[in-house]
Amino acid sequence: MTEQTCPSPQKVTLRHDWAREEAEALLALPFPELIFQAQLAHRQFFDPTKVQISTLLSIKSGGCPEDCSYCPQSAHHDKRMAAEKLMPLERVIADARRSKEAGAGRFCMGAAWRAPKDRDLDAVCRMVEEVKALGLETCLTIGMLTPSQSARLKEAGLDYYNHNLDTSEDFYGKIITTRTYQERLDTLANVRDAGIKVCCGGIIGMGEDTQDRAGLLTTLANLPTHPESVPINLLVRVEGTPLADEEAVDPITFARVIATARIMMPASHVRLAAGRENMSESTHALCFLAGANSIFWGEKLLTTPNPAQNRDTELLAMLGMSPMMQKTATA
């Protein structure tokens, strides 16, 4: 039998000119080939045994005026979460300190606002400053931002801003009607122009098809600069929301999205975000093989369940993986 040799892997380059058809073709690749390509991309930019660790705290929950079909914090749904006031600074800092002691390198804070009022930013900027002083990277997700608000947050020391696109532009109107797709893109541009790193991804399992998943990934990959973090969420089906009865997405399909995101945005952290509570150890391992290299630690993501830290610690040890070392954040 003639010995066959594999061709030398080509160097992966960052692209911003993807066609949706290319993303669809990647999603449709034979699974071993897709994982192989994702691994090549991952290993060129990252140590595949390291995982970036973040924690996420809801600093203001409930009463959101948006009608996002997946979100239990929306005031539009049958089962409404009571609106809460902004969390006191002391509680935020105590939670951030515990997160750092547990091994997190980034502390994310979320508020259920459509867009913060300028007076809201006074308290939020103070939170950013105090969390930064602990040596943690800082991240916020508090709704739409204007250029001036983005500049204020940058001055306070904000490192990352999360603002997800959720899905493709074509499918978007079936999920939310109170905010346009362009408004989301405008906020991303405002944040980027202010010098803040971008965290932007979407949700899988809301009834979208493969073309919609490809459309989301194409939009993300064709941004002027790839998001530094790309969270891929698996829908958490919450009772009382319009998407409570959506059909579950199988692990292979979900891993295909992870792998395609890794290939199209090879230098970005691809994060397993919401939905991990119901993932098995084998599904987690499959997603790490597909190129995921970031997770949230903590028992809750804003208002939905998340695996306990000890479960994640045991899983990483089982896989021979470990938290990514974080550079000390400076103001």
Side-chain angles (χ1 to χ4, degrees):
M1 181 180 295
T2 303
E3 183 178 353
Q4 295 182 345
T5 58
C6 295
S8 299
Q10 295 182 348
K11 183 177 176 62
V12 177
T13 58
L14 301 184
R15 290 178 50 192
H16 303 271
D17 59 350
W18 291 89
R20 191 179 72 175
E21 291 75 16
E22 291 181 280
E24 291 177 14
L26 287 172
L27 288 166
L29 279 175
F31 196 68
E33 178 62 25
L34 177 62
I35 297 300
F36 176 68
Q37 290 194 26
Q39 276 284 308
L40 289 179
H42 192 175
R43 289 166 182 268
Q44 183 170 315
F45 291 90
F46 296 100
D47 180 342
T49 69
K50 301 299 182 182
V51 180
Q52 189 273 327
I53 305 296
S54 299
T55 58
L56 176 60
L57 174 69
S58 178
I59 58 174
K60 192 275 177 193
S61 303
C64 183
E66 305 280 23
D67 65 354
C68 305
S69 297
Y70 54 81
C71 186
Q73 300 197 66
S74 172
H76 293 260
H77 304 329
D78 294 336
K79 189 175 182 179
R80 302 174 185 174
M81 179 180 295
E84 299 177 355
K85 293 182 178 180
L86 189 66
M87 185 177 290
L89 175 64
E90 294 75 15
R91 285 184 57 192
V92 174
I93 301 310
D95 198 283
R97 188 173 288 110
R98 286 192 295 269
S99 295
K100 183 180 180 182
E101 292 170 353
R106 186 179 308 164
F107 189 73
C108 307
M109 297 164 277
W113 288 320
R114 169 178 167 78
K117 297 179 175 61
D118 287 338
R119 65 173 181 269
D120 297 323
L121 283 192
D122 293 336
V124 173
C125 285
R126 181 70 186 281
M127 292 177 184
V128 170
E129 292 168 351
E130 294 294 327
V131 171
K132 185 89 167 181
L134 295 176
L136 287 162
E137 288 185 329
T138 55
C139 179
L140 282 176
T141 177
I142 58 176
M144 295 184 293
L145 294 179
T146 65
S148 61
Q149 290 175 329
S150 301
R152 281 192 64 189
L153 290 170
K154 174 62 177 178
E155 185 177 355
L158 185 65
D159 296 299
Y160 290 83
Y161 194 81
N162 167 261
H163 202 63
N164 290 333
L165 293 178
D166 290 348
T167 187
S168 71
E169 187 170 9
D170 292 338
F171 191 68
Y172 182 81
K174 298 179 181 179
I175 300 302
I176 176 173
T177 65
T178 52
R179 184 189 310 184
T180 68
Y181 209 72
Q182 186 58 51
E183 284 176 317
R184 290 183 183 266
L185 291 171
D186 290 344
T187 289
L188 294 177
N190 292 338
V191 167
R192 181 67 76 186
D193 290 345
I196 299 170
K197 296 174 183 176
V198 169
C199 173
C200 184
I203 306 171
I204 306 303
M206 299 189 292
E208 78 287 343
D209 59 22
T210 301
Q211 289 73 29
D212 292 313
R213 293 165 189 159
L216 167 66
L217 295 175
T218 301
T219 300
L220 291 170
N222 286 346
L223 290 171
T225 302
H226 292 165
E228 282 79 4
S229 292
V230 181
I232 305 295
N233 299 271
L234 183 63
L235 176 69
V236 179
R237 294 167 290 172
V238 180
E239 181 182 355
T241 64
L243 298 183
D245 297 322
E246 278 296 328
E247 185 177 348
V249 173
D250 67 89
I252 299 296
T253 297
F254 187 70
R256 284 184 177 277
V257 178
I258 296 288
T260 303
R262 169 55 64 209
I263 293 167
M264 296 176 70
M265 293 167 282
S268 301
H269 287 91
V270 177
R271 178 176 298 127
L272 289 180
R276 290 201 306 117
E277 172 68 12
N278 296 320
M279 289 184 192
S280 66
E281 292 175 342
S282 57
T283 298
H284 276 86
L286 187 62
C287 290
F288 289 136
L289 281 174
N293 66 340
S294 177
I295 59 173
F296 279 117
W297 266 0
E299 296 183 2
K300 186 176 287 189
L301 293 186
L302 297 181
T303 61
T304 56
N306 194 54
Q309 181 192 331
N310 63 332
R311 175 184 161 190
D312 284 331
T313 301
E314 292 169 1
L315 174 63
L316 292 181
M318 182 190 306
L319 297 175
M321 302 176 72
S322 60
M324 191 177 296
M325 295 301 293
Q326 200 75 43
K327 293 180 180 180
T328 303
T330 55

